[in-house]
Coordinates of all heavy atoms in Angstrom, one line a residue:
N87 N 1.0 -19.9 11.4 CA -0.5 -19.8 11.3 C -1.0 -18.8 10.3 O -2.2 -18.5 10.4 CB -1.0 -19.6 12.7 CG -0.6 -18.2 13.3 OD1 0.3 -17.6 12.8 ND2 -1.4 -17.7 14.3
V88 N -0.1 -18.2 9.5 CA -0.6 -17.3 8.5 C -0.2 -17.7 7.1 O 0.9 -18.1 6.8 CB 0.1 -15.9 8.7 CG1 -0.4 -14.9 7.7 CG2 -0.2 -15.4 10.1
K89 N -1.2 -17.9 6.2 CA -1.0 -18.3 4.9 C -1.4 -17.2 3.9 O -2.5 -16.6 4.1 CB -1.8 -19.6 4.5 CG -1.7 -20.7 5.6 CD -0.3 -21.3 5.5 CE -0.2 -22.4 6.5 NZ 1.2 -22.9 6.7
L90 N -0.6 -17.0 2.9 CA -0.8 -15.8 2.0 C -1.0 -16.2 0.6 O -0.5 -17.2 0.1 CB 0.4 -14.9 2.1 CG 0.8 -14.5 3.6 CD1 2.1 -13.7 3.6 CD2 -0.3 -13.6 4.2
L91 N -1.8 -15.4 -0.1 CA -2.1 -15.6 -1.5 C -2.1 -14.2 -2.2 O -2.9 -13.3 -1.8 CB -3.4 -16.3 -1.7 CG -3.8 -16.5 -3.2 CD1 -2.9 -17.6 -3.9 CD2 -5.3 -17.0 -3.3
Q92 N -1.3 -14.1 -3.3 CA -1.4 -12.8 -4.1 C -2.3 -13.1 -5.2 O -1.9 -13.8 -6.2 CB 0.0 -12.5 -4.6 CG 0.0 -11.2 -5.4 CD 1.4 -10.8 -5.9 OE1 2.3 -11.5 -5.8 NE2 1.4 -9.6 -6.5
W93 N -3.6 -12.6 -5.1 CA -4.6 -13.0 -6.1 C -5.8 -12.0 -6.0 O -5.9 -11.3 -5.0 CB -5.0 -14.4 -6.0 CG -5.4 -15.1 -7.3 CD1 -6.6 -15.1 -7.9 CD2 -4.5 -15.7 -8.3 NE1 -6.5 -15.8 -9.1 CE2 -5.2 -16.1 -9.4 CE3 -3.1 -15.9 -8.3 CZ2 -4.7 -16.7 -10.5 CZ3 -2.5 -16.5 -9.4 CH2 -3.3 -16.9 -10.4
D94 N -6.7 -12.1 -6.9 CA -7.9 -11.4 -6.8 C -8.9 -12.1 -6.0 O -9.2 -13.3 -6.3 CB -8.5 -11.2 -8.3 CG -9.7 -10.3 -8.3 OD1 -10.4 -10.1 -7.3 OD2 -10.0 -9.7 -9.4
I95 N -9.5 -11.5 -5.0 CA -10.4 -12.2 -4.1 C -11.7 -12.7 -4.8 O -12.4 -13.6 -4.4 CB -10.8 -11.3 -2.9 CG1 -11.6 -12.0 -1.8 CG2 -11.6 -10.1 -3.3 CD1 -10.8 -13.1 -1.1
F96 N -12.0 -12.0 -6.0 CA -13.2 -12.4 -6.7 C -13.0 -13.5 -7.7 O -13.9 -13.8 -8.5 CB -13.8 -11.2 -7.3 CG -14.2 -10.1 -6.3 CD1 -13.6 -8.9 -6.3 CD2 -15.1 -10.4 -5.3 CE1 -13.9 -7.9 -5.3 CE2 -15.4 -9.5 -4.3 CZ -14.8 -8.2 -4.3
D97 N -11.8 -14.1 -7.7 CA -11.6 -15.3 -8.6 C -12.0 -16.5 -7.8 O -11.1 -17.1 -7.1 CB -10.1 -15.3 -9.0 CG -9.8 -16.5 -9.9 OD1 -10.6 -17.5 -10.0 OD2 -8.7 -16.5 -10.6
A98 N -13.2 -16.9 -7.9 CA -13.8 -17.9 -7.0 C -13.0 -19.2 -7.0 O -12.7 -19.8 -5.9 CB -15.3 -18.1 -7.3

Side-chain angles (χ1 to χ4, degrees):
N87 65 341
V88 181
K89 309 290 179 192
L90 305 173
L91 177 70
Q92 183 180 6
W93 212 266
D94 185 339
I95 190 65
F96 300 118
D97 181 341

